[in-house]
Amino acid sequence: MASNNAQAQIELHRALAPRYAFRYSFPFSRLFQQDWHAEMMGHIPEGSKAILDLGCGTGFFLAELMEKHPSAVGLDISFEMLQVSDQYIPGAKLVTGDAERLPFKPGVFDVVFCKGSLHHTRDHVAFLKHCREALRPGGVLIMSEPCNDNPFIRLARAIMYKKSEHFDVGDQGFTRKGVLDLLDQADFETPKVKKYGVLAYVFAGFPDHLSILRYIPGNYWITRAFLAIDRVLCALPLFSLLGFHIVTVSHPKSGGES
Ligand SMILES: C[S@@+](CC[C@H](N)C(=O)[O-])C[C@H]1O[C@@H](n2cnc3c(N)ncnc32)[C@H](O)[C@@H]1O
């Protein structure tokens, strides 16, 4: 039986599915997402074949992944989110399922991606352990999660998650230290950590919420400029505090629990 949180996520994302499709329908928003996806896909090791997108949602990331890795699989707890994927990427391998009970043999994936799914779960270490079990020895977990290192971002998120009907009140962002501790507890080592998204995240991340952004002339080109500025900001230790997301690249510890 689905846990209370799993049930809450199913209901939340049933309502959100059309909204995601709408969000990604604007060229400037898609440009931002494509840049984000390229950042994540840049960490796929050479020769990887079996790839899982865990919490693939409406499948915009999966569609790009499949251009180079046609056998990639998407799993999501929300059937309605997957229905959008199905329209967008006919023929994709999509599985409705709960990350807490993955319907795959252990140790089969070269890469597991999680873009924004960990913070929707309640037992983060258990979720990460399931990711580790899905990976073959030497596989890699590539994740992007909301980052709250900046106190203003933490406050803005806390208010948004509490007030907005588009989040569950228990959803939360992470600090850099917090997410690295969770990965460590789940027997991962994490050699690469990067912040992602500052100006472009705010400007192009949510045109469904901030409708005015859709009408700003040149919003595509402004997004391009912001992406270039964000790359510089996220590479500088002090300014990277401004990053809204944290991208981690982790491997199961050798000798860790299996
Ligand atoms: C913020 S959305 C991100 C979707 C997609 N990765 C993207 O970037 O557009 C989070 C997704 O995680 C899914 N999700 C939440 N809890 C889950 C669970 N326990 N197992 C599988 N998917 C889950 C939700 O249904 C939703 O589609």
Side-chain angles (χ1 to χ4, degrees):
M1 202 175 109
S3 69
N4 288 348
N5 179 57
Q7 200 52 48
Q9 294 296 332
I10 290 169
E11 272 151 37
L12 176 72
H13 288 91
R14 179 177 299 137
L16 287 185
R19 195 171 188 104
Y20 267 77
F22 180 61
R23 174 182 301 171
Y24 295 155
S25 68
F26 301 97
F28 76 112
S29 170
R30 259 206 318 278
L31 174 70
F32 166 65
Q33 294 291 337
Q34 280 162 353
D35 184 83
W36 192 352
H37 299 162
E39 165 59 46
M40 293 185 73
M41 288 194 282
H43 301 290
I44 299 176
E46 200 66 37
S48 302
K49 289 198 175 71
I51 301 186
L52 172 65
D53 183 8
L54 188 48
C56 64
T58 46
F60 292 85
F61 177 63
L62 184 64
E64 285 173 44
L65 198 55
M66 284 179 57
E67 285 173 18
K68 283 204 183 137
H69 303 277
S71 60
V73 181
L75 177 137
D76 203 281
I77 201 166
S78 163
F79 178 71
E80 285 77 9
M81 293 289 268
L82 291 177
Q83 268 184 322
V84 178
S85 294
D86 202 31
Q87 287 159 19
Y88 189 71
I89 28 172
K93 294 188 190 77
L94 300 171
V95 181
T96 313
D98 186 345
E100 306 280 334
R101 276 177 244 114
L102 287 178
F104 307 109
K105 281 191 196 150
V108 290
F109 290 102
D110 299 312
V111 182
V112 173
F113 278 103
C114 297
K115 179 170 171 263
S117 35
L118 175 69
H119 71 284
H120 287 293
T121 63
R122 295 298 167 262
D123 187 343
H124 300 128
V125 174
F127 174 95
L128 292 170
K129 283 187 175 170
H130 291 301
C131 294
R132 203 197 59 225
E133 281 156 21
L135 285 169
R136 66 164 178 75
V140 56
L141 169 67
I142 305 173
M143 229 173 32
S144 185
E145 285 297 322
C147 185
N148 281 349
D149 282 342
N150 179 329
F152 293 107
I153 294 179
R154 192 179 319 145
L155 180 67
R157 274 212 176 100
I159 295 171
M160 198 163 75
Y161 284 9
K162 197 162 177 194
K163 299 270 175 219
S164 168
E165 63 198 19
H166 302 124
F167 295 93
D168 187 88
V169 72
D171 294 349
Q172 56 169 282
F174 302 98
T175 59
R176 175 191 166 102
K177 180 177 179 320
V179 85
L180 291 179
D181 281 352
L182 292 171
L183 284 159
D184 183 54
Q185 287 172 52
D187 272 329
F188 277 104
E189 49 201 346
T190 304
K192 287 188 204 155
V193 184
K194 285 183 82 173
K195 295 292 181 61
Y196 184 84
V198 185
L199 301 171
Y201 182 88
V202 176
F203 186 76
F206 305 94
D208 50 322
H209 290 274
L210 291 168
S211 51
I212 189 166
L213 297 170
R214 310 202 291 262
Y215 303 104
I216 294 180
N219 52 16
Y220 183 90
W221 298 101
I222 296 171
T223 304
R224 267 191 108 121
F226 282 167
L227 286 170
I229 297 170
D230 285 2
R231 255 189 284 284
V232 177
L233 293 176
C234 288
L236 301 169
L238 185 62
F239 288 100
S240 72
L241 258 184
L242 301 169
F244 277 80
H245 256 245
I246 185 162
V247 176
T248 53
V249 182
S250 310
H251 306 277
K253 285 180 195 167
S254 50
E257 217 184 276
S258 59

PDB file of all heavy atoms in Angstrom, residues 195-220:
ATOM      1  N   LYS A 195      26.811  24.129  -7.886  1.00  0.00           N
ATOM      2  CA  LYS A 195      25.542  24.843  -7.774  1.00  0.00           C
ATOM      3  C   LYS A 195      25.045  25.116  -9.195  1.00  0.00           C
ATOM      4  O   LYS A 195      25.843  25.244 -10.131  1.00  0.00           O
ATOM      5  CB  LYS A 195      25.715  26.159  -7.032  1.00  0.00           C
ATOM      6  CG  LYS A 195      26.127  25.984  -5.578  1.00  0.00           C
ATOM      7  CD  LYS A 195      25.019  25.361  -4.758  1.00  0.00           C
ATOM      8  CE  LYS A 195      25.394  25.192  -3.308  1.00  0.00           C
ATOM      9  NZ  LYS A 195      25.704  26.387  -2.600  1.00  0.00           N
ATOM     10  N   TYR A 196      23.726  25.211  -9.316  1.00  0.00           N
ATOM     11  CA  TYR A 196      23.150  25.506 -10.632  1.00  0.00           C
ATOM     12  C   TYR A 196      21.967  26.463 -10.485  1.00  0.00           C
ATOM     13  O   TYR A 196      21.114  26.266  -9.605  1.00  0.00           O
ATOM     14  CB  TYR A 196      22.681  24.219 -11.353  1.00  0.00           C
ATOM     15  CG  TYR A 196      22.191  24.550 -12.733  1.00  0.00           C
ATOM     16  CD1 TYR A 196      23.083  24.671 -13.792  1.00  0.00           C
ATOM     17  CD2 TYR A 196      20.846  24.847 -12.959  1.00  0.00           C
ATOM     18  CE1 TYR A 196      22.645  25.055 -15.052  1.00  0.00           C
ATOM     19  CE2 TYR A 196      20.408  25.237 -14.210  1.00  0.00           C
ATOM     20  CZ  TYR A 196      21.311  25.333 -15.253  1.00  0.00           C
ATOM     21  OH  TYR A 196      20.890  25.737 -16.496  1.00  0.00           O
ATOM     22  N   GLY A 197      21.926  27.477 -11.366  1.00  0.00           N
ATOM     23  CA  GLY A 197      20.723  28.315 -11.478  1.00  0.00           C
ATOM     24  C   GLY A 197      20.684  29.482 -10.513  1.00  0.00           C
ATOM     25  O   GLY A 197      20.515  29.298  -9.313  1.00  0.00           O
ATOM     26  N   VAL A 198      20.857  30.689 -11.052  1.00  0.00           N
ATOM     27  CA  VAL A 198      20.692  31.903 -10.237  1.00  0.00           C
ATOM     28  C   VAL A 198      19.666  32.785 -10.963  1.00  0.00           C
ATOM     29  O   VAL A 198      18.458  32.630 -10.782  1.00  0.00           O
ATOM     30  CB  VAL A 198      22.038  32.635 -10.019  1.00  0.00           C
ATOM     31  CG1 VAL A 198      21.833  33.820  -9.074  1.00  0.00           C
ATOM     32  CG2 VAL A 198      23.100  31.690  -9.458  1.00  0.00           C
ATOM     33  N   LEU A 199      20.149  33.642 -11.846  1.00  0.00           N
ATOM     34  CA  LEU A 199      19.246  34.580 -12.531  1.00  0.00           C
ATOM     35  C   LEU A 199      18.307  33.848 -13.493  1.00  0.00           C
ATOM     36  O   LEU A 199      17.108  34.121 -13.540  1.00  0.00           O
ATOM     37  CB  LEU A 199      20.070  35.625 -13.302  1.00  0.00           C
ATOM     38  CG  LEU A 199      21.032  36.453 -12.439  1.00  0.00           C
ATOM     39  CD1 LEU A 199      21.955  37.292 -13.313  1.00  0.00           C
ATOM     40  CD2 LEU A 199      20.237  37.354 -11.505  1.00  0.00           C
ATOM     41  N   ALA A 200      18.875  32.919 -14.258  1.00  0.00           N
ATOM     42  CA  ALA A 200      18.043  32.205 -15.248  1.00  0.00           C
ATOM     43  C   ALA A 200      16.981  31.357 -14.555  1.00  0.00           C
ATOM     44  O   ALA A 200      15.864  31.196 -15.068  1.00  0.00           O
ATOM     45  CB  ALA A 200      18.917  31.332 -16.149  1.00  0.00           C
ATOM     46  N   TYR A 201      17.319  30.849 -13.371  1.00  0.00           N
ATOM     47  CA  TYR A 201      16.346  30.021 -12.617  1.00  0.00           C
ATOM     48  C   TYR A 201      15.118  30.850 -12.267  1.00  0.00           C
ATOM     49  O   TYR A 201      13.983  30.418 -12.433  1.00  0.00           O
ATOM     50  CB  TYR A 201      17.031  29.498 -11.350  1.00  0.00           C
ATOM     51  CG  TYR A 201      16.181  28.588 -10.499  1.00  0.00           C
ATOM     52  CD1 TYR A 201      16.159  27.214 -10.735  1.00  0.00           C
ATOM     53  CD2 TYR A 201      15.412  29.088  -9.456  1.00  0.00           C
ATOM     54  CE1 TYR A 201      15.389  26.370  -9.942  1.00  0.00           C
ATOM     55  CE2 TYR A 201      14.633  28.256  -8.668  1.00  0.00           C
ATOM     56  CZ  TYR A 201      14.625  26.895  -8.915  1.00  0.00           C
ATOM     57  OH  TYR A 201      13.860  26.057  -8.132  1.00  0.00           O
ATOM     58  N   VAL A 202      15.372  32.080 -11.795  1.00  0.00           N
ATOM     59  CA  VAL A 202      14.254  32.946 -11.390  1.00  0.00           C
ATOM     60  C   VAL A 202      13.492  33.430 -12.626  1.00  0.00           C
ATOM     61  O   VAL A 202      12.258  33.445 -12.649  1.00  0.00           O
ATOM     62  CB  VAL A 202      14.794  34.160 -10.586  1.00  0.00           C
ATOM     63  CG1 VAL A 202      13.672  35.122 -10.254  1.00  0.00           C
ATOM     64  CG2 VAL A 202      15.496  33.683  -9.327  1.00  0.00           C
ATOM     65  N   PHE A 203      14.247  33.783 -13.672  1.00  0.00           N
ATOM     66  CA  PHE A 203      13.628  34.404 -14.851  1.00  0.00           C
ATOM     67  C   PHE A 203      12.879  33.388 -15.730  1.00  0.00           C
ATOM     68  O   PHE A 203      11.797  33.698 -16.247  1.00  0.00           O
ATOM     69  CB  PHE A 203      14.722  35.103 -15.671  1.00  0.00           C
ATOM     70  CG  PHE A 203      14.202  35.901 -16.830  1.00  0.00           C
ATOM     71  CD1 PHE A 203      13.590  37.137 -16.630  1.00  0.00           C
ATOM     72  CD2 PHE A 203      14.307  35.421 -18.125  1.00  0.00           C
ATOM     73  CE1 PHE A 203      13.097  37.869 -17.693  1.00  0.00           C
ATOM     74  CE2 PHE A 203      13.817  36.140 -19.198  1.00  0.00           C
ATOM     75  CZ  PHE A 203      13.203  37.376 -18.986  1.00  0.00           C
ATOM     76  N   ALA A 204      13.467  32.208 -15.895  1.00  0.00           N
ATOM     77  CA  ALA A 204      12.903  31.259 -16.876  1.00  0.00           C
ATOM     78  C   ALA A 204      12.393  29.961 -16.254  1.00  0.00           C
ATOM     79  O   ALA A 204      11.860  29.116 -16.960  1.00  0.00           O
ATOM     80  CB  ALA A 204      13.968  30.926 -17.928  1.00  0.00           C
ATOM     81  N   GLY A 205      12.549  29.827 -14.932  1.00  0.00           N
ATOM     82  CA  GLY A 205      12.195  28.556 -14.295  1.00  0.00           C
ATOM     83  C   GLY A 205      10.698  28.335 -14.133  1.00  0.00           C
ATOM     84  O   GLY A 205      10.233  27.213 -14.185  1.00  0.00           O
ATOM     85  N   PHE A 206       9.942  29.431 -13.949  1.00  0.00           N
ATOM     86  CA  PHE A 206       8.528  29.256 -13.589  1.00  0.00           C
ATOM     87  C   PHE A 206       7.593  30.219 -14.320  1.00  0.00           C
ATOM     88  O   PHE A 206       6.847  30.976 -13.688  1.00  0.00           O
ATOM     89  CB  PHE A 206       8.360  29.428 -12.061  1.00  0.00           C
ATOM     90  CG  PHE A 206       9.256  28.522 -11.287  1.00  0.00           C
ATOM     91  CD1 PHE A 206      10.500  28.978 -10.850  1.00  0.00           C
ATOM     92  CD2 PHE A 206       8.892  27.209 -11.035  1.00  0.00           C
ATOM     93  CE1 PHE A 206      11.353  28.128 -10.159  1.00  0.00           C
ATOM     94  CE2 PHE A 206       9.740  26.361 -10.347  1.00  0.00           C
ATOM     95  CZ  PHE A 206      10.975  26.826  -9.908  1.00  0.00           C
ATOM     96  N   PRO A 207       7.610  30.228 -15.650  1.00  0.00           N
ATOM     97  CA  PRO A 207       6.727  31.165 -16.359  1.00  0.00           C
ATOM     98  C   PRO A 207       5.242  30.854 -16.161  1.00  0.00           C
ATOM     99  O   PRO A 207       4.394  31.679 -16.453  1.00  0.00           O
ATOM    100  CB  PRO A 207       7.132  30.993 -17.831  1.00  0.00           C
ATOM    101  CG  PRO A 207       7.778  29.669 -17.896  1.00  0.00           C
ATOM    102  CD  PRO A 207       8.386  29.386 -16.553  1.00  0.00           C
ATOM    103  N   ASP A 208       4.950  29.657 -15.645  1.00  0.00           N
ATOM    104  CA  ASP A 208       3.546  29.337 -15.346  1.00  0.00           C
ATOM    105  C   ASP A 208       3.084  30.096 -14.106  1.00  0.00           C
ATOM    106  O   ASP A 208       1.924  30.480 -14.007  1.00  0.00           O
ATOM    107  CB  ASP A 208       3.371  27.819 -15.156  1.00  0.00           C
ATOM    108  CG  ASP A 208       4.390  27.231 -14.191  1.00  0.00           C
ATOM    109  OD1 ASP A 208       5.554  27.662 -14.219  1.00  0.00           O
ATOM    110  OD2 ASP A 208       4.030  26.348 -13.389  1.00  0.00           O
ATOM    111  N   HIS A 209       4.000  30.353 -13.163  1.00  0.00           N
ATOM    112  CA  HIS A 209       3.632  31.095 -11.951  1.00  0.00           C
ATOM    113  C   HIS A 209       3.675  32.601 -12.187  1.00  0.00           C
ATOM    114  O   HIS A 209       2.798  33.325 -11.756  1.00  0.00           O
ATOM    115  CB  HIS A 209       4.613  30.796 -10.802  1.00  0.00           C
ATOM    116  CG  HIS A 209       4.495  29.408 -10.255  1.00  0.00           C
ATOM    117  ND1 HIS A 209       3.599  29.068  -9.282  1.00  0.00           N
ATOM    118  CD2 HIS A 209       5.164  28.277 -10.557  1.00  0.00           C
ATOM    119  CE1 HIS A 209       3.723  27.780  -9.004  1.00  0.00           C
ATOM    120  NE2 HIS A 209       4.659  27.280  -9.766  1.00  0.00           N
ATOM    121  N   LEU A 210       4.761  33.062 -12.832  1.00  0.00           N
ATOM    122  CA  LEU A 210       4.950  34.503 -13.017  1.00  0.00           C
ATOM    123  C   LEU A 210       4.621  34.845 -14.467  1.00  0.00           C
ATOM    124  O   LEU A 210       5.511  34.936 -15.318  1.00  0.00           O
ATOM    125  CB  LEU A 210       6.407  34.890 -12.701  1.00  0.00           C
ATOM    126  CG  LEU A 210       6.792  34.785 -11.229  1.00  0.00           C
ATOM    127  CD1 LEU A 210       8.298  34.907 -11.042  1.00  0.00           C
ATOM    128  CD2 LEU A 210       6.094  35.883 -10.431  1.00  0.00           C
ATOM    129  N   SER A 211       3.332  35.044 -14.751  1.00  0.00           N
ATOM    130  CA  SER A 211       2.897  35.139 -16.150  1.00  0.00           C
ATOM    131  C   SER A 211       3.537  36.334 -16.873  1.00  0.00           C
ATOM    132  O   SER A 211       3.747  36.290 -18.077  1.00  0.00           O
ATOM    133  CB  SER A 211       1.383  35.199 -16.231  1.00  0.00           C
ATOM    134  OG  SER A 211       0.907  36.191 -15.375  1.00  0.00           O
ATOM    135  N   ILE A 212       3.881  37.392 -16.144  1.00  0.00           N
ATOM    136  CA  ILE A 212       4.456  38.581 -16.785  1.00  0.00           C
ATOM    137  C   ILE A 212       5.723  38.230 -17.581  1.00  0.00           C
ATOM    138  O   ILE A 212       6.003  38.820 -18.625  1.00  0.00           O
ATOM    139  CB  ILE A 212       4.736  39.687 -15.736  1.00  0.00           C
ATOM    140  CG1 ILE A 212       5.123  40.967 -16.445  1.00  0.00           C
ATOM    141  CG2 ILE A 212       5.783  39.310 -14.720  1.00  0.00           C
ATOM    142  CD1 ILE A 212       5.087  42.188 -15.567  1.00  0.00           C
ATOM    143  N   LEU A 213       6.465  37.243 -17.099  1.00  0.00           N
ATOM    144  CA  LEU A 213       7.733  36.865 -17.755  1.00  0.00           C
ATOM    145  C   LEU A 213       7.504  36.392 -19.187  1.00  0.00           C
ATOM    146  O   LEU A 213       8.358  36.542 -20.053  1.00  0.00           O
ATOM    147  CB  LEU A 213       8.418  35.757 -16.958  1.00  0.00           C
ATOM    148  CG  LEU A 213       8.832  36.133 -15.536  1.00  0.00           C
ATOM    149  CD1 LEU A 213       9.269  34.906 -14.753  1.00  0.00           C
ATOM    150  CD2 LEU A 213       9.945  37.169 -15.569  1.00  0.00           C
ATOM    151  N   ARG A 214       6.320  35.854 -19.429  1.00  0.00           N
ATOM    152  CA  ARG A 214       6.015  35.315 -20.761  1.00  0.00           C
ATOM    153  C   ARG A 214       5.907  36.423 -21.796  1.00  0.00           C
ATOM    154  O   ARG A 214       5.997  36.179 -22.995  1.00  0.00           O
ATOM    155  CB  ARG A 214       4.697  34.518 -20.720  1.00  0.00           C
ATOM    156  CG  ARG A 214       4.645  33.496 -19.582  1.00  0.00           C
ATOM    157  CD  ARG A 214       3.652  32.401 -19.843  1.00  0.00           C
ATOM    158  NE  ARG A 214       2.268  32.806 -19.802  1.00  0.00           N
ATOM    159  CZ  ARG A 214       1.464  32.647 -18.742  1.00  0.00           C
ATOM    160  NH1 ARG A 214       1.932  32.108 -17.631  1.00  0.00           N
ATOM    161  NH2 ARG A 214       0.215  33.020 -18.785  1.00  0.00           N
ATOM    162  N   TYR A 215       5.647  37.639 -21.324  1.00  0.00           N
ATOM    163  CA  TYR A 215       5.390  38.749 -22.256  1.00  0.00           C
ATOM    164  C   TYR A 215       6.572  39.699 -22.365  1.00  0.00           C
ATOM    165  O   TYR A 215       6.499  40.701 -23.059  1.00  0.00           O
ATOM    166  CB  TYR A 215       4.131  39.510 -21.800  1.00  0.00           C
ATOM    167  CG  TYR A 215       2.943  38.580 -21.705  1.00  0.00           C
ATOM    168  CD1 TYR A 215       2.488  38.130 -20.469  1.00  0.00           C
ATOM    169  CD2 TYR A 215       2.326  38.081 -22.855  1.00  0.00           C
ATOM    170  CE1 TYR A 215       1.438  37.232 -20.369  1.00  0.00           C
ATOM    171  CE2 TYR A 215       1.280  37.181 -22.770  1.00  0.00           C
ATOM    172  CZ  TYR A 215       0.832  36.762 -21.529  1.00  0.00           C
ATOM    173  OH  TYR A 215      -0.202  35.857 -21.442  1.00  0.00           O
ATOM    174  N   ILE A 216       7.672  39.423 -21.679  1.00  0.00           N
ATOM    175  CA  ILE A 216       8.833  40.322 -21.747  1.00  0.00           C
ATOM    176  C   ILE A 216       9.505  40.135 -23.113  1.00  0.00           C
ATOM    177  O   ILE A 216       9.905  39.010 -23.458  1.00  0.00           O
ATOM    178  CB  ILE A 216       9.822  40.051 -20.594  1.00  0.00           C
ATOM    179  CG1 ILE A 216       9.154  40.415 -19.271  1.00  0.00           C
ATOM    180  CG2 ILE A 216      11.135  40.801 -20.790  1.00  0.00           C
ATOM    181  CD1 ILE A 216       9.990  40.203 -18.040  1.00  0.00           C
ATOM    182  N   PRO A 217       9.603  41.230 -23.902  1.00  0.00           N
ATOM    183  CA  PRO A 217      10.217  41.070 -25.226  1.00  0.00           C
ATOM    184  C   PRO A 217      11.662  40.576 -25.078  1.00  0.00           C
ATOM    185  O   PRO A 217      12.374  41.016 -24.179  1.00  0.00           O
ATOM    186  CB  PRO A 217      10.192  42.497 -25.815  1.00  0.00           C
ATOM    187  CG  PRO A 217       9.309  43.293 -24.920  1.00  0.00           C
ATOM    188  CD  PRO A 217       9.232  42.613 -23.593  1.00  0.00           C
ATOM    189  N   GLY A 218      12.057  39.662 -25.927  1.00  0.00           N
ATOM    190  CA  GLY A 218      13.447  39.171 -25.906  1.00  0.00           C
ATOM    191  C   GLY A 218      13.724  38.230 -24.740  1.00  0.00           C
ATOM    192  O   GLY A 218      14.890  38.038 -24.365  1.00  0.00           O
ATOM    193  N   ASN A 219      12.658  37.629 -24.161  1.00  0.00           N
ATOM    194  CA  ASN A 219      12.906  36.788 -22.975  1.00  0.00           C
ATOM    195  C   ASN A 219      13.848  35.603 -23.281  1.00  0.00           C
ATOM    196  O   ASN A 219      14.595  35.166 -22.404  1.00  0.00           O
ATOM    197  CB  ASN A 219      11.597  36.333 -22.292  1.00  0.00           C
ATOM    198  CG  ASN A 219      10.619  35.689 -23.238  1.00  0.00           C
ATOM    199  OD1 ASN A 219      11.006  35.302 -24.327  1.00  0.00           O
ATOM    200  ND2 ASN A 219       9.361  35.589 -22.823  1.00  0.00           N
ATOM    201  N   TYR A 220      13.843  35.147 -24.544  1.00  0.00           N
ATOM    202  CA  TYR A 220      14.743  34.050 -24.922  1.00  0.00           C
ATOM    203  C   TYR A 220      16.201  34.506 -24.801  1.00  0.00           C
ATOM    204  O   TYR A 220      17.057  33.828 -24.238  1.00  0.00           O
ATOM    205  CB  TYR A 220      14.417  33.617 -26.354  1.00  0.00           C
ATOM    206  CG  TYR A 220      15.221  32.449 -26.849  1.00  0.00           C
ATOM    207  CD1 TYR A 220      14.757  31.145 -26.669  1.00  0.00           C
ATOM    208  CD2 TYR A 220      16.438  32.639 -27.513  1.00  0.00           C
ATOM    209  CE1 TYR A 220      15.490  30.066 -27.136  1.00  0.00           C
ATOM    210  CE2 TYR A 220      17.179  31.565 -27.977  1.00  0.00           C
ATOM    211  CZ  TYR A 220      16.694  30.283 -27.787  1.00  0.00           C
ATOM    212  OH  TYR A 220      17.427  29.209 -28.246  1.00  0.00           O
TER     213      TYR A 220
END
